[in-house]
């Protein structure tokens, strides 16, 4: 059971931009419910954990779906609060599949999920986490919108803002990383992510370099690279990474016929099946790079906890603003549980 005073102080910190006292009270009630209700986190069960008022459920439903508070400001305060306690070594990305019934939820589509071995009706959320090797806390989210969600009828029903367009998952992830870096309030950290499912891997690598991000990324083994010591000889990343130093230094094939200037390094984890990671931090020791890879494992564990204990898959509303506000509340509850007792 969370301490009332401690939780109130946390709510005051992360909801500082909410001007109305009733909004902060509802934020406190929703977090309390997410932290205490076992099993499925419905609005009704969350409300019942906070009060026996017969109108509480309706009030919390309104707080998530239609109350005019901006989730971006809350997430920013959450990131700042979490950084002081977590001291993150990396910013990590996790993609989560949220199964849905019917076709009315915002962003819902049919998708083949390799981990399940079948096609499911779902939403896809992309989360950005602050991570050390032990803990990872979500501080921003994007909802993947497939191309079908360009249709005005779907967007109007789900209240999708006009400036939000369908993008590849990797583009949504890059936007979150850019936004966190531009805020200037957090110390930059390397991006660690698994992009083996990305079709345009080389393009993403070049964009990350252009935007000034350090990174360690798991890449497809068939990514074409050119070893620095063997200019002109193209290899697949899975083969190039096994050559050892100095062959671990590679470039990407040029898109203009000239010589690509950016140098990367390939590192392979010693496990089966082997995973190839590419980084632009070519001077870092191998053990330091593999330590960053462990931050990604911590993110996977956090995503599982969010699904099991914090209601990641339980949002029942259909609107785009409602989805983002719910994910913000869930992230805040998770951060509080993991970090509230950290000085």
């Amino acid at each position: 059971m969370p301490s009332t005073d401690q939780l109130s102080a946390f709510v005051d910190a992360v909801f500082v931009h909410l001007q109305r006292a009733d909004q902060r009270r509802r934020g406190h009630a929703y977090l309390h419910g997410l932290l205490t209700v076992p099993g499925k986190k419905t609005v009704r069960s969350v409300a019942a954990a906070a009060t026996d008022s017969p109108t509480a459920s309706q009030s919390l439903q309104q707080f998530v779906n239609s109350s005019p508070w901006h989730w971006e400001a809350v997430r920013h305060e959450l990131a700042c609060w979490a950084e002081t306690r977590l001291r993150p070594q990396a910013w990590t990305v996790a993609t989560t599949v949220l199964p849905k019934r019917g076709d009315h939820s915002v962003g819902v589509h049919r998708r083949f999920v390799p981990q399940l071995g079948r096609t499911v009706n779902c939403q896809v959320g992309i989360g950005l986490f602050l991570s050390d090797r032990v803990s990872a806390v979500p501080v921003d989210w994007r909802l993947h919108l497939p191309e079908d969600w360009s249709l005005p009828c779907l967007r109007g029903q789900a209240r999708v803002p006009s400036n939000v367009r369908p993008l590849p998952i990797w583009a949504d992830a890059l936007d979150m990383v850019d936004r966190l870096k531009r805020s200037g309030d957090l110390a930059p950290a390397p991006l660690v992510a698994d992009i083996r499912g990305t079709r345009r891997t080389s393009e993403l690598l070049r964009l990350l370099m252009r935007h000034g991000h350090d990174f360690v990324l798991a890449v497809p083994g068939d990514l074409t690279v050119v070893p620095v010591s063997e200019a002109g000889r193209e290899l697949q990343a899975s083969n190039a990474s096994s050559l050892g130093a100095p062959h671990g230094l590679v470039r990407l094939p040029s898109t203009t016929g000239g010589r690509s200037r950016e140098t990367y390094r390939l590192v392979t984890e010693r496990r089966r099946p082997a995973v190839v990671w590419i980084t632009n931090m070519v001077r870092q020791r191998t053990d330091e790079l593999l330590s960053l890879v462990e931050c990604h494992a911590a993110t996977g564990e956090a995503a599982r906890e969010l699904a099991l204990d914090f209601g990641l898959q339980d949002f029942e509303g259909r609107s785009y603003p409602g989805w983002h506000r719910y994910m913000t509340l869930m992230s805040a509850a998770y951060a509080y549980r993991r970090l509230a007792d950290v000085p």
Side-chain angles (χ1 to χ4, degrees):
M1 181 72 68
S3 161
T4 300
D5 291 342
Q6 193 175 34
L7 182 58
S8 295
F10 174 73
V11 169
D12 288 343
V14 299
F15 288 105
V16 65
H17 296 285
L18 272 63
Q19 299 299 316
R20 289 163 37 190
D22 64 309
Q23 289 178 322
R24 293 192 295 275
R25 284 196 301 270
R26 289 170 185 170
H28 186 288
Y30 216 110
L31 292 186
H32 182 273
L34 290 173
L35 288 163
T36 58
V37 172
K40 189 175 178 64
K41 309 294 191 292
T42 65
V43 175
R44 188 180 299 276
S45 64
V46 167
T51 176
D52 56 4
S53 168
T55 63
S57 178
Q58 181 180 354
S59 296
L60 292 187
Q61 183 77 33
Q62 182 185 36
F63 176 68
V64 172
N65 283 298
S66 57
S67 182
W69 57 276
H70 301 290
W71 57 86
E72 296 95 338
V74 176
R75 291 178 186 175
H76 177 74
E77 296 300 333
L78 176 63
C80 293
W81 182 89
E83 186 193 41
T84 62
R85 290 157 176 80
L86 187 62
R87 298 176 180 86
Q89 296 174 267
W91 297 348
T92 56
V93 173
T95 301
T96 60
V97 175
L98 313 174
K100 293 293 174 182
R101 294 180 180 178
D103 57 1
H104 296 293
S105 296
V106 59
V108 71
H109 61 287
R110 300 284 294 171
R111 185 181 193 87
F112 178 76
V113 181
Q115 296 90 333
L116 301 177
R118 58 188 176 89
T119 298
V120 298
N121 207 53
C122 65
Q123 295 169 321
V124 174
I126 309 107
L128 179 64
F129 293 67
L130 305 184
S131 177
D132 60 15
R133 290 186 294 171
V134 177
S135 300
V137 172
V139 295
D140 203 2
W141 291 92
R142 293 293 182 275
L143 176 65
H144 175 59
L145 296 178
E147 282 299 326
D148 287 350
W149 281 84
S150 296
L151 297 174
C153 59
L154 292 177
R155 298 172 65 85
Q157 292 170 2
R159 294 159 52 205
V160 179
S162 59
N163 64 334
V164 175
R165 312 305 304 174
L167 294 172
I169 288 175
W170 64 263
D172 277 322
L174 179 60
D175 179 63
M176 286 191 292
V177 174
D178 281 345
R179 180 185 290 269
L180 195 60
K181 184 177 181 180
R182 284 197 307 267
S183 75
D185 292 327
L186 277 75
L191 172 65
V192 182
D194 185 343
I195 62 167
R196 285 178 290 176
T198 302
R199 295 180 181 177
R200 296 157 69 179
T201 306
S202 296
E203 180 179 350
L204 175 56
L205 295 176
R206 291 188 176 98
L207 282 172
L208 286 167
M209 291 286 279
R210 192 179 308 159
H211 292 202
H213 298 298
D214 289 335
F215 56 82
V216 183
L217 305 176
V219 294
D222 61 359
L223 173 69
T224 301
V225 296
V226 180
V228 169
S229 59
E230 301 179 43
R233 182 190 177 196
E234 295 186 357
L235 294 174
Q236 291 187 341
S238 57
N239 295 325
S241 64
S242 65
L243 296 176
H247 299 283
L249 297 179
V250 300
R251 295 188 175 99
L252 300 177
S254 173
T255 58
T256 61
R259 185 175 180 179
S260 177
R261 291 177 297 174
E262 295 87 0
T263 301
Y264 306 88
R265 183 180 174 192
L266 296 176
V267 178
T268 303
E269 288 183 85
R270 294 180 179 178
R271 61 184 176 96
R272 292 291 182 268
V275 178
V276 179
W277 297 79
I278 194 167
T279 180
N280 60 343
M281 298 184 292
V282 297
R283 298 184 183 277
Q284 296 288 103
R285 299 198 314 265
T286 300
D287 63 325
E288 293 173 336
L289 295 171
L290 292 177
S291 176
L292 291 174
V293 169
E294 292 181 26
C295 294
H296 187 265
T299 304
E301 180 58 35
R304 285 187 287 273
E305 282 189 68
L306 288 168
L308 289 173
D309 298 326
F310 290 86
L312 175 63
Q313 300 180 353
D314 295 344
F315 178 62
E316 298 172 339
R318 299 176 179 177
S319 75
Y320 180 91
W323 187 88
H324 273 283
R325 293 189 185 111
Y326 179 83
M327 298 297 275
T328 303
L329 290 163
M330 181 202 64
S331 299
Y334 184 81
Y336 178 84
R337 173 66 56 81
R338 298 290 296 182
L339 302 177
D341 294 328
V342 177

